[in-house]
Amino acid sequence: MIALDGVTKIYPGGVAALAGVSLRVRPGELAAIVGPSGSGKSTMLHVIGTLDRPTAGTVRIDGHDVADLGDANLSALRADRIGFVFQQFHLAGGTSALDNVADGLLYTGLRQSHRRRRAAEALERVGLGSRLTHEPHELSGGEKQRVAIARAVAGQPALLLADEPTGALDSVAGAGVMNLLRELNSEGTTVVIITHDRSIADSLPRQVRMLDGHVVEDSARRRTEASA
Ligand code: ADP
Ligand code: MG
């Protein structure tokens, strides 16, 4: 699903946010990315999510070499195959939960009634069937993140990328969001989660640790070496 080879990302000013990262994530995996602030976690997620192109190295997502795709095809790949969830939800204020999710399906070209029907299904799936008309300011943090997850998965992406999805939530709401992400993974979605929370990371099947733009530890690699 994800194949990074020798990926570097150098920001203007010369910061090497990624300094030669190679990583494989297979379809159906559920992986945690951990590491201190500034270690390159968000940059790696942006590169995996095709929001950002690498400075050097190869990025293949769902069989596509990102370097072979122009911006329009890259946007189409992203819209079709990848969902994003962020710490701060990024919902549109003054807009109902239903339309926040339905507007995420604009790229599909479906008419509004169909988009809304799919949005309602996604919101029911995350347990918010009774909150369709609520606006973000009428929802708790945990509910807002569920709306964001519904928006991310309404288009049935193969890959879900989450950057500190529980970072702004209390522990009960955070646990609810994590259960939901696990459930989506068990239904087949590949899920990659950046987290600062040690107990969350340890509860996931795989941990990838970053430091100074490098992957310094990968529990999957350790297992492979142990069995070799
Ligand atoms: P993390 O998510 O692990 O905290 P980031 O990927 O956000 O790390 O950042 C890695 C490094 O790249 C940091 O030194 C950060 O300051 C730098 N960086 C991140 N985004 C930008 C940007 N848009 N422009 C310049 N430098 C950036
Ligand atoms: Mg970050």
Side-chain angles (χ1 to χ4, degrees):
M1 176 63 58
I2 300 170
L4 306 182
D5 281 293
V7 169
T8 66
K9 177 71 190 179
I10 299 175
Y11 284 112
V15 178
L18 298 177
V21 168
S22 298
L23 180 75
R24 294 279 181 291
V25 176
R26 288 195 301 269
E29 277 202 70
L30 171 57
I33 311 285
V34 302
S37 183
S39 57
K41 304 182 300 295
S42 294
T43 301
M44 185 163 81
L45 211 72
H46 280 97
V47 167
I48 291 170
T50 78
L51 293 167
D52 233 341
R53 290 180 186 272
T55 307
T58 312
V59 177
R60 269 177 298 143
I61 302 299
D62 201 20
H64 300 273
D65 186 333
V66 164
D68 292 340
L69 301 178
D71 288 345
N73 285 331
L74 210 53
S75 300
L77 171 70
R78 198 184 308 131
D80 263 359
R81 309 295 289 157
I82 308 174
F84 295 92
V85 176
F86 300 100
Q87 179 173 347
Q88 296 300 336
F89 324 127
H90 293 304
L91 300 178
T95 303
S96 68
L98 186 67
D99 282 329
N100 260 285
V101 177
D103 288 351
L105 294 168
L106 278 168
Y107 76 94
T108 60
L110 290 170
R111 44 202 274 218
Q112 192 187 48
S113 58
H114 289 181
R115 293 200 308 272
R116 284 193 162 152
R117 193 182 321 139
R118 274 175 68 176
E121 285 164 9
L123 284 162
E124 270 153 32
R125 187 175 183 196
V126 302
L128 288 181
S130 63
R131 298 284 189 278
L132 303 186
T133 61
H134 285 55
E135 295 182 6
H137 74 274
E138 300 169 313
L139 298 169
S140 71
E143 288 172 335
K144 280 191 263 232
Q145 195 59 298
R146 283 168 182 273
V147 174
I149 292 170
R151 180 182 54 191
V153 301
Q156 303 186 313
L159 176 60
L160 185 62
L161 303 174
D163 195 343
E164 300 275 1
T166 65
L169 304 179
D170 63 59
S171 60
V172 173
V177 161
M178 282 309 303
N179 284 338
L180 184 54
L181 294 174
R182 280 197 192 86
E183 204 175 293
L184 292 165
N185 172 253
S186 73
E187 292 163 12
T189 310
T190 307
V191 181
V192 177
I193 304 172
I194 294 177
T195 182
H196 264 107
D197 187 319
R198 188 65 194 253
S199 65
I200 288 178
D202 288 346
S203 75
L204 300 184
R206 178 177 178 186
Q207 297 83 32
V208 175
R209 180 172 303 279
M210 298 197 63
L211 185 65
D212 297 337
H214 297 275
V215 170
V216 291
E217 209 184 328
D218 182 344
S219 62
R221 208 174 289 166
R222 214 164 48 224
R223 274 196 298 276
T224 310
E225 281 161 10
S227 66

